[in-house]
Amino acid sequence: MKHRTLYGVAGLTAVALTLTACGGDDGGGDSTSDGPADLRMTVWTADEAQLALFQEIADAYVADHADTVSGISFETLPFEDYTTGITTQIAGGNPPDLAWIFESSAPEFVASGALLDLRPVLEETDGYDAGDLEPDALRLWENDGGLYAYPFSNSPFGVFVNTDQLTAAGQPLPADLIAAGDWTWDRAAEIAAATAQASGKAGLVVRDFDFALWENLGTIWSSFGAEPWSEDGSTCEFTSPAMIDALTWIHDQIFTTGALPGPGTTADFFAGDAALTVTQISRASALDDSFGWDLVPLPDGPEGHVNVIGQAGIGVFADGPNADVAADFLAYFTNPENAERLAAYFPPPRTSLLTAETLQGANAKLTTEQLQAVVIDGIPGAVTKPAHANFAQLQAAIRAELDALWTADADVSAVAESVCAAAEPLLAG
Amino acid sequence: MTTATIGTPRRQRRLSRREDVLTGYAFVLPQLVGSLLFVIGPLVAVVWYSLHDWNVLANSFTYAGTDNYERLATDPGFHDAMRASGIFSAGLVVLNVGLALALAVMLNQRLPGTATFRAFFFSPVVVSLVAWTIVWGFLLQADGGINGFLSQLGIDGPNWLREGPTAMLSVIVVQVFKNVGLNMVLFLAALQGVPREVREAATMDGASPWRSFWSVTVPLISGTILLVSILTVVGSLQVFAQIAVLTQGGPGTSTTVIVYYLYQQAFQFQEFGYASAVSVVLFVIVAILTFVQWQTRRRWVFHEV
């Protein structure tokens, strides 16, 4: 009898374990849920001040909507594996309700049908003023008239300058070159190379470019009139004369003039290891008073001045159990009042908020002149960093082929040909 | 009556034995259930996924039959990954087993300080793999510690992680230094199990130390060499973190080994079905290699009966 009891308990345990393991969410989400929803949003930022602001806005929403929402949490995923983290959660049957999505993944997320069309809820929410949203900023997130994410952050690229290093090297400051109408990539490379020579540190660092995330080089090649693929995403453009010129220029600055640090060299501008860096204004928070610095717009290229922005959107997963509630929260999270508060860290797509005064409130380190020149003037008409519905595969395939370019004796045209040979099948698919 | 007298104890013994067996099974049942859920279940699931096209974002899961396996056969990326894994495994097995055996022989001497050296060589085994790899990443930079040291000697070092041959060599060496201590300890244990009188007999018969090592010691530790070889081969085919941290599969695809390729397909490209097919093939390769190594033990493991 004792044994029978033992077998019975063991058997029931086994059955219970099996049912527990197999009885989980099917991954497709439930279209309805009982009671107030507990919303979850994935973000990449781990900045405590930013997360505190998110939570403050979310708590205010929960207080007003206790009947529909019981709580809202923000889950930080590592930047490097951010998109991978989201898709892994989806594959595991545990998708977030809302997610921050990078511009590079936008076409894939928008085209897949994974995201909810937000346009109806944004346009119907009282006081939302959807007409205030900058049309250029929305373009990447639209499909067949629908808007599949709110372009939450529109961060233009600019150039941070270590004025101490440039002065010590006897080089002109970019602000003076801008005033003289002589702020070009050639001049930037010239002073970067001379300063690197004098300081023994790096010259110009492009967005922490480590010779893997080649898309950051778009900040340079855009003003050469180059783009990695055609606007409809179907044709490789690495072999275009403009791109060959741009890649040749970049190669020369690495291996001939030494203006750009070579592969395998680590140089953190914000630690004082470089003279100039191309990056976004959010990095200003990493600056202290250890050296004099300035922030200026991107230099002009052969095709004139081209602004480049990085974008991030917030989308709601259509198959999530709380999609409608999540969309309503997103409308609250990004309404004019909250958008103004969030502008402290994330330049919004609202034209009414794109003023130096609004952004100055939260970017005390930057002057109104810097904000006007780099952010306010940098968003309208800007080129967005490369994005494609097949971006992940393109990123990896092009990275592998471009590796051949990062040697001193590389044949730029031959590398460009091999890049297109690898990219064309992925662009066609 | 007689039958009953004889049969009752037998039946009781049979019942008792049956109850013992069932009790034993009851005790292993939780582990068995765990294995079914977390080992066998996922294995079966991966095979099932490999027969499907699974688009996570579009929430589609369609039966594809053997399409993923047919694609594998013609996928140059997979072939590159197989080649990279082969080079990595060959390099790792030769260097790791050879160095571990050499260290074990040296540290098997009764000399002052050998315990310290044993601890020194074993210590990387207990260090976090990612932390170890990140540190090596800094050392192997173009302007990193290794080239800094070489420049002191007047040598212009290569850009270790950015040039094809040195990138693979770097990854292998980093892995060798990480795990050589574990194999060294296994060899040390085996060496200490070699009867001293056998070696003394060889010496008295006029065998040189080298001859004694190859003809006496190696055969007596051949069982451990087999074990270490199997573990190293299996481990080498599963390498991932070192590649992800040090080279991300580059330059080109020279260090894109099978598991890194699998990771790219599944978690970067959202090709979960195809990645599952890759993992099934990897499982089969590991199983075959282990089986072959095990089956050939009779040829070269000395004391195997």
Side-chain angles (χ1 to χ4, degrees):
Chain A
M1 193 65 184
K2 277 182 185 173
H3 286 295
R4 279 185 189 169
T5 307
L6 183 60
Y7 307 147
V9 170
L12 283 173
T13 305
V15 171
L17 276 170
T18 309
L19 290 177
T20 306
C22 300
D25 194 350
D26 61 2
D30 193 3
S31 58
T32 58
S33 61
D34 297 328
D38 196 8
L39 299 181
R40 190 163 59 91
M41 174 169 153
T42 52
V43 296
W44 70 263
T45 179
D47 185 297
E48 288 183 11
Q50 293 174 10
L51 291 172
L53 177 57
F54 291 173
Q55 197 63 61
E56 201 176 304
I57 296 171
D59 290 346
Y61 179 82
V62 173
D64 283 350
H65 300 78
D67 54 331
T68 54
V69 183
S70 59
I72 301 168
S73 58
F74 298 90
E75 182 180 304
T76 299
L77 300 178
F79 178 82
E80 295 75 18
D81 302 313
Y82 182 78
T83 305
T84 296
I86 297 176
T87 50
T88 305
Q89 289 187 2
I90 298 170
N94 183 34
D97 296 292
L98 305 100
W100 185 324
I101 300 162
F102 295 139
E103 76 280 298
S104 55
S105 308
E108 188 176 11
F109 275 79
V110 169
S112 69
L115 301 174
L116 188 73
D117 180 7
L118 299 171
R119 200 180 289 282
V121 69
L122 297 187
E123 288 182 347
E124 289 163 17
T125 298
D126 287 341
Y128 191 80
D129 193 11
D132 189 29
L133 302 180
E134 167 68 38
D136 282 350
L138 303 181
R139 204 180 309 128
L140 191 59
W141 310 93
E142 292 176 319
N143 190 24
D144 290 338
L147 176 65
Y148 292 91
Y150 170 88
F152 175 69
S153 176
N154 302 265
S155 193
F157 282 87
V159 181
F160 281 96
V161 183
N162 186 322
T163 53
D164 286 352
Q165 283 187 17
L166 264 60
T167 304
Q171 294 301 307
L173 296 177
D176 297 332
L177 294 175
I178 291 170
D182 193 23
W183 181 228
T184 63
W185 282 110
D186 284 338
R187 288 291 278 143
E190 202 175 298
I191 62 174
T195 307
Q197 186 83 28
S199 67
K201 298 180 177 178
L204 173 62
V205 177
V206 181
R207 186 62 169 87
D208 300 331
F209 176 55
D210 63 354
F211 296 81
L213 300 177
W214 53 265
E215 60 268 29
N216 287 324
L217 296 177
T219 52
I220 296 176
W221 69 47
S222 292
S223 61
F224 279 70
E227 55 185 0
W229 41 75
S230 56
E231 194 167 341
D232 65 358
S234 65
T235 314
C236 177
E237 295 292 332
F238 269 88
T239 50
S240 69
M243 183 60 93
I244 297 289
D245 286 349
L247 293 178
T248 302
W249 186 89
I250 292 167
H251 187 271
D252 287 348
Q253 303 315 322
I254 296 169
F255 296 102
T256 306
T257 70
L260 272 64
T265 306
T266 307
D268 181 3
F269 171 87
F270 299 95
D273 296 338
L276 307 109
T277 187
V278 175
T279 191
Q280 288 152 300
I281 64 159
S282 56
R283 295 296 300 277
S285 59
L287 287 162
D288 54 25
D289 295 328
S290 58
F291 58 83
W293 60 272
D294 193 6
L295 172 64
V296 296
L298 292 175
D300 296 349
E303 295 296 313
H305 184 78
V306 176
N307 289 314
V308 179
I309 62 169
Q311 240 189 4
I314 299 178
V316 171
F317 284 101
D319 281 348
N322 312 299
D324 293 339
V325 180
D328 191 63
F329 166 65
L330 181 57
Y332 175 83
F333 192 67
T334 59
N335 67 26
E337 296 74 33
N338 289 325
E340 186 171 355
R341 299 176 70 191
L342 293 164
Y345 306 103
F346 311 101
R350 289 184 174 277
T351 51
S352 63
L353 295 176
L354 282 176
T355 66
E357 291 71 30
T358 304
L359 298 176
Q360 169 86 76
N363 292 283
K365 288 185 176 177
L366 302 175
T367 65
T368 50
E369 290 76 22
Q370 288 169 334
L371 288 165
Q372 181 69 42
V374 179
V375 184
I376 312 302
D377 297 342
I379 293 178
V383 171
T384 307
K385 279 175 64 184
H388 194 276
N390 208 6
F391 185 80
Q393 296 208 44
L394 282 164
Q395 208 287 337
I398 293 173
R399 193 275 302 155
E401 298 304 324
L402 275 181
D403 277 345
L405 186 62
W406 313 129
T407 56
D409 57 352
D411 179 339
V412 177
S413 296
V415 172
E417 293 283 351
S418 67
V419 166
C420 278
E424 288 287 5
L426 299 168
L427 291 165
Chain B
M1 188 66 183
T2 310
T3 307
T5 307
I6 296 168
T8 300
R10 271 192 190 164
R11 199 169 66 225
Q12 281 175 343
R13 279 203 301 276
R14 245 194 338 261
L15 280 173
S16 174
R17 183 183 168 82
R18 196 174 145 212
E19 285 178 347
D20 286 346
V21 168
L22 289 174
T23 304
Y25 282 129
F27 278 114
V28 299
L29 191 60
Q31 173 65 32
L32 190 65
V33 171
S35 296
L36 282 171
L37 288 178
F38 301 114
V39 180
I40 306 300
L43 269 175
V44 174
V46 164
V47 174
W48 178 243
Y49 294 152
S50 75
L51 301 174
H52 291 77
D53 277 333
W54 184 6
N55 186 322
V56 171
L57 286 180
N59 198 20
S60 66
F61 190 74
T62 52
Y63 184 71
T66 57
D67 286 1
N68 288 324
Y69 292 96
E70 288 167 23
R71 183 180 156 192
L72 268 178
T74 56
D75 179 3
F78 179 68
H79 298 159
D80 287 349
M82 290 281 284
R83 185 168 59 246
S85 277
I87 294 170
F88 180 84
S89 295
L92 185 71
V93 170
V94 170
L95 284 178
N96 198 342
V97 176
L99 185 61
L101 186 55
L103 284 172
V105 170
M106 283 190 286
L107 297 177
N108 195 36
Q109 313 298 319
R110 290 183 180 172
L111 296 171
T114 49
T116 306
F117 278 107
R118 286 176 194 172
F120 175 77
F121 287 116
F122 186 76
S123 56
V125 175
V126 298
V127 174
S128 153
L129 175 61
V130 173
W132 171 265
T133 310
I134 288 172
V135 170
W136 271 97
F138 284 117
L139 292 174
L140 291 163
Q141 293 280 335
D143 55 353
I146 290 175
N147 280 351
F149 173 73
L150 290 175
S151 69
Q152 298 291 318
L153 304 174
I155 300 169
D156 193 13
N159 199 346
W160 297 98
L161 300 174
R162 304 282 176 173
E163 296 169 17
T166 58
M168 179 58 92
L169 180 66
S170 301
V171 176
I172 291 171
V173 169
V174 168
Q175 177 67 359
V176 166
F177 286 151
K178 176 73 176 72
N179 273 349
V180 73
L182 184 63
N183 290 345
M184 178 196 75
V185 167
L186 294 172
F187 283 134
L188 266 173
L191 287 171
Q192 287 168 5
V194 175
R196 189 191 299 172
E197 56 269 26
V198 179
R199 280 183 292 173
E200 286 173 353
T203 306
M204 290 177 70
D205 286 346
S208 65
W210 187 246
R211 176 77 185 201
S212 172
F213 173 74
W214 279 111
S215 299
V216 176
T217 306
V218 169
L220 288 173
I221 64 167
S222 52
T224 304
I225 294 175
L226 173 68
L227 170 72
V228 165
S229 300
I230 291 175
L231 291 177
T232 307
V233 168
V234 171
S236 71
L237 289 170
Q238 295 170 344
V239 65
F240 172 75
Q242 298 90 324
I243 302 293
V245 173
L246 288 177
T247 65
Q248 292 164 13
T253 55
S254 63
T255 59
T256 302
V257 294
I258 296 176
V259 178
Y260 191 77
Y261 187 72
L262 189 163
Y263 162 79
Q264 281 187 315
Q265 294 296 327
F267 298 107
Q268 291 185 340
F269 307 159
Q270 321 307 330
E271 298 263 13
F272 282 90
Y274 186 58
S276 298
V278 175
S279 65
V280 170
V281 170
L282 177 61
F283 173 78
V284 171
I285 291 170
V286 170
I288 289 172
L289 281 176
T290 308
F291 178 77
V292 168
Q293 282 179 293
W294 184 250
Q295 286 304 309
T296 57
R297 73 192 186 281
R298 292 175 194 280
R299 291 179 176 229
W300 59 282
V301 173
F302 172 71
H303 59 278
E304 193 68 44
V305 180

